[in-house]
Each structure stands twice: as C-alpha cells, then as structure tokens.
Amino acid sequence: MITDLRLQHFRSFSDASFELSSGVNIVVGPNASGKTNLLEAVLVLSRGSSYRAKDSELIQFNKPWSRIDGHCDNNTQRTIKIIAEPSPSKQYEIDGKTYKRLSMQGTLPIVLFEPNHLRLFAGGPDRRRDYLDDLLEQTTPNYGTIRRQYKRTLAQRNRLLKNSNPNQSQMFPWDVRLSQLGGQIVRARTDLTETINKDLSGLYKKLSNTKTKVSISYDHKWPVDRYETQLLKKLETSFDDDQLRGFTGNGPHREDLLINFDERPAQEVASRGEVRTAVLALKIIELKIIEKVRDATPLLLLDDVFSELDGKRRHALTDYLAPYQTFITTTDADIVTQHFTDDCNVIPLERKA
C-alpha cells in the first residue's frame, strides 16, 4: 500500500503531493486534468515503467528531469528519477539503496484495468500476448529478462534479414538463441493460461448469472516439450521466405491467446457485454494470482473503466475490491461513490491551463 505520493515534473504535474487512503481512492476531474497521469505515476513507482509511454515522455515538457516519491505502509520510501539530460537514464531508490533496474522482488504487485483491456479480444494478437507477458513479469522470476532478451534477439535477426545478405551459417547462432528463449516464453504462457482456465468459467458464470462456458487457450504452433527443436528447424527451413519478407515469421511473437464461449470463438459469438464480463473475470483472477504468488496484496488501478461497465458489472467488481488499495479515475465521482458503503478518499483535479 502507498500512503502518499509526490510528483515533480511528471507529465502535467509540476510539483504536486497527494495523501492516499488504504481503501478506495477516487481521482475525479474533467478531461485533461491529469487523472490518468496520476494513476500512471502510481504504476511507475510500483513497477518501474509506464504502460503507455517511453521514459522520456514522462518528463514534463522542457524540463531536464522527472521524479516520483512515495511511502509505503511498512515505512519504505520509494523514488523513481528519470533524467533527460545530459543523457537519458532512470534510477530507482528503495530506502536509500539505488538500483538501475527493478527485479520482480523490487516491484510492488499491481493490477491495471484500462479501456484497452475491454477490447482485449478484438483486433490483433499483440495486445493479448502483452497481457500474458505483463502478468508473467509480475509472477515469474526472471521472465522480464527473458522477454527483453527475446525482443533483442528477434530485432537483431530481423536487422540481418533486412540490411545484409546473410547465409544460414551466419544466422544459425541467432536462430539457436531465439529458439531457446522462445521455448521458455511459450511454456510460461501455456502454464499461465492453464492456471487462469481453472477458475475462468466458474467466475464468468457467477458474474453473468448464465451457464455459458468460457475458456481460454494459448495457440502455440508446436508442442511445448519440443518447441525449441521445432522452432529452430522452422527458422532454418523458412530462411528464404524470411529474407523476402524482411522479418521473422515464426516464434512466440506471432502466436495468440484464444477465448471461446461454449467452444466457439468469442469474436464470432460473444456480445460486447459478454466480452466485458469475461475481461472483468480475467482481471479478478489476475488479482488472485498475483496475490498468491507474491504473498502480498496488489494495488488495483481502474483507469476510466468504471463508467464503461453497466450497473451489474460495477456491483460485481466492487464486491471484490474490499481487500485492495484501489485507484479509480472518473469525471463523475457520484457514479463511483454510490457503489461503496465505506468512505472513499476523493482526489479532485482541475483542468490544466
């Protein structure tokens, strides 16, 4: 739990301080008042990075640095410093100790629910892959490192395909490394999907008051126990095609998370309300998974989604909020406060000049 927050040169905030409640914190204000920026600051302080911007974009316009300070309920002080000049850098401080990068153990467990998540099963698969990978970074030691190494290896292989005329012997070391990292990613994604699946259908039925069976599956191209060898073989046999395309056409960066309603694809049969209920169920399960694995209560950020849920789904969500420090952004506090019997901490913001 974060008890207070100070933002300096962060996004739209020049220097602002906030006292936070251990329960529900409602951030209210008109559009362009900085509501999402405040939630973003909580996220950056907790896990070290934003969900929507590069580090350099978090610094207020024409300022050389940005800083976030906060205290936790165990008297821990956390600071994030982002420097633009003379060279871009980021520094973390926890109780006076400095770190260049936060390990999983150095982060605060946190769950974000924002409007794009309501469209999790629409559009391309990259959003769904990121959903799994972001959760795995919070629950699987070293997964963040594996994820970054895979992206770097993939980028290097793609550069070779585009910018030179490599032969297969030159590509082989990159193919081996990509296959090794890809196998680790696919096994982690598959295990997580199976864990979510154990509770998804039952929770969906409870939230929707229907008998619809909802399930998710990770659509990997080869069996997980042979994924490395099969991917390596495919990278070798598709070398010519990859050269023509200019990018790597196989691997976990091309796979997808599928959702079915009564064993039929959600994109074909699910209504907008049914998809939102399924996403709500996923977020509740996400809370429980992180809480169990980390043995700590996550923070919950609801960025402009409360008003997009109907009354039944709002009530369903609030039933699960009691154990968590929660931050909710809204343009109308009355829409939110009517769903809580306990006092809420209302944080009013005004439109920035």
Side-chain angles (χ1 to χ4, degrees):
M1 185 187 81
I2 300 174
T3 59
D4 60 78
L5 199 64
R6 182 182 180 187
L7 313 180
Q8 298 177 78
H9 304 323
F10 181 86
R11 290 287 202 177
S12 55
F13 296 97
S14 295
D15 192 345
S17 297
F18 304 93
E19 296 293 324
L20 307 176
S21 165
S22 61
V24 176
N25 297 271
I26 300 174
V27 184
V28 60
N31 293 332
S33 60
K35 299 187 299 296
T36 296
N37 294 344
L38 179 53
L39 256 66
E40 187 177 28
V42 174
L43 188 76
V44 172
L45 187 69
S46 299
R47 76 178 191 187
S49 61
S50 169
Y51 69 98
R52 62 181 185 139
K54 299 176 181 178
D55 291 340
S56 60
E57 296 170 349
L58 304 179
I59 302 173
Q60 196 172 39
F61 183 66
N62 275 342
K63 299 297 181 182
W65 55 269
S66 177
R67 175 173 173 145
I68 308 171
D69 292 275
H71 291 86
C72 300
D73 54 342
N74 59 359
N75 293 321
T76 301
Q77 181 173 354
R78 299 175 66 90
T79 299
I80 303 283
K81 299 176 183 177
I82 305 170
I83 310 295
E85 301 172 356
S87 61
S89 63
K90 184 164 59 177
Q91 180 177 295
Y92 311 92
E93 290 182 10
I94 302 176
D95 278 349
K97 295 182 179 180
T98 302
Y99 304 88
K100 290 186 177 180
R101 188 185 296 276
L102 291 180
S103 65
M104 187 186 87
Q105 290 75 16
T107 62
L108 299 177
I110 192 165
V111 171
L112 170 70
F113 192 6
E114 52 101 4
N116 280 330
H117 293 156
L118 293 169
R119 295 176 283 276
L120 188 62
F121 296 102
D126 54 333
R127 184 179 293 158
R128 294 182 286 277
R129 291 192 297 265
D130 285 344
Y131 168 75
L132 291 176
D133 289 341
D134 290 346
L135 181 49
L136 284 165
E137 282 205 26
Q138 290 208 71
T139 56
T140 305
N142 299 320
Y143 188 82
T145 300
I146 294 168
R147 184 184 186 184
R148 288 188 294 272
Q149 289 177 345
Y150 183 87
K151 287 182 177 180
R152 285 196 295 266
T153 305
L154 178 64
Q156 179 60 36
R157 188 179 194 272
N158 287 343
R159 276 194 294 270
L160 288 173
L161 290 170
K162 291 177 182 177
N163 300 332
S164 63
N165 189 27
N167 56 49
Q168 284 193 277
S169 62
Q170 291 174 306
M171 298 296 289
F172 183 72
W174 300 105
D175 291 352
V176 171
R177 185 60 175 153
L178 199 69
S179 300
Q180 291 171 339
L181 294 166
Q184 295 178 68
I185 288 172
V186 166
R187 277 189 291 276
R189 288 177 180 174
T190 302
D191 289 345
L192 176 59
T193 303
E194 291 174 354
T195 298
I196 292 171
N197 234 3
K198 293 176 183 176
D199 297 321
L200 179 58
S201 195
L203 181 56
Y204 179 87
K205 290 177 182 178
K206 182 177 180 180
L207 293 174
S208 64
N209 195 28
T210 68
K211 295 182 179 180
T212 302
K213 180 182 178 182
V214 179
S215 62
I216 59 173
S217 59
Y218 181 66
D219 188 23
H220 46 80
K221 195 165 186 178
W222 302 284
V224 293
D225 59 342
R226 292 188 286 116
Y227 194 92
E228 286 96 330
T229 56
Q230 292 297 313
L231 176 56
L232 179 58
K233 182 178 180 180
K234 186 63 176 179
L235 291 173
E236 292 173 342
T237 58
S238 62
F239 173 72
D240 291 339
D241 291 337
D242 285 350
Q243 269 197 304
L244 289 173
R245 284 190 294 250
F247 64 86
T248 304
N250 292 277
H253 62 287
R254 306 285 292 176
E255 296 173 346
D256 201 357
L257 175 68
L258 308 178
I259 183 168
N260 289 315
F261 282 68
D262 287 331
E263 300 183 355
R264 297 178 63 188
Q267 290 90 336
E268 295 179 7
V269 299
S271 68
R272 183 180 180 186
E274 287 172 329
V275 169
R276 291 188 172 199
T277 303
V279 174
L280 178 56
L282 285 173
K283 284 295 168 181
I284 292 170
I285 292 171
E286 185 178 340
L287 277 169
K288 301 299 183 183
I289 290 174
I290 292 175
E291 189 168 19
K292 181 179 180 181
V293 172
R294 300 286 298 270
D295 193 26
T297 304
L299 288 71
L300 176 60
L301 308 183
L302 305 177
D303 186 13
D304 198 30
V305 295
F306 208 84
S307 60
E308 293 200 34
L309 301 173
D310 60 26
K312 183 175 71 173
R313 292 177 180 86
R314 290 177 195 164
H315 282 294
L317 178 59
T318 55
D319 286 345
Y320 288 90
L321 296 188
Y324 307 103
Q325 183 180 31
T326 303
F327 298 83
I328 304 174
T329 63
T330 181
T331 55
D332 185 354
D334 291 339
I335 291 177
V336 180
T337 55
Q338 63 180 302
H339 293 280
F340 299 94
T341 56
D342 297 332
D343 290 338
C344 299
N345 177 37
V346 178
I347 302 173
L349 299 178
E350 297 180 355
R351 187 188 300 274
K352 305 296 180 181

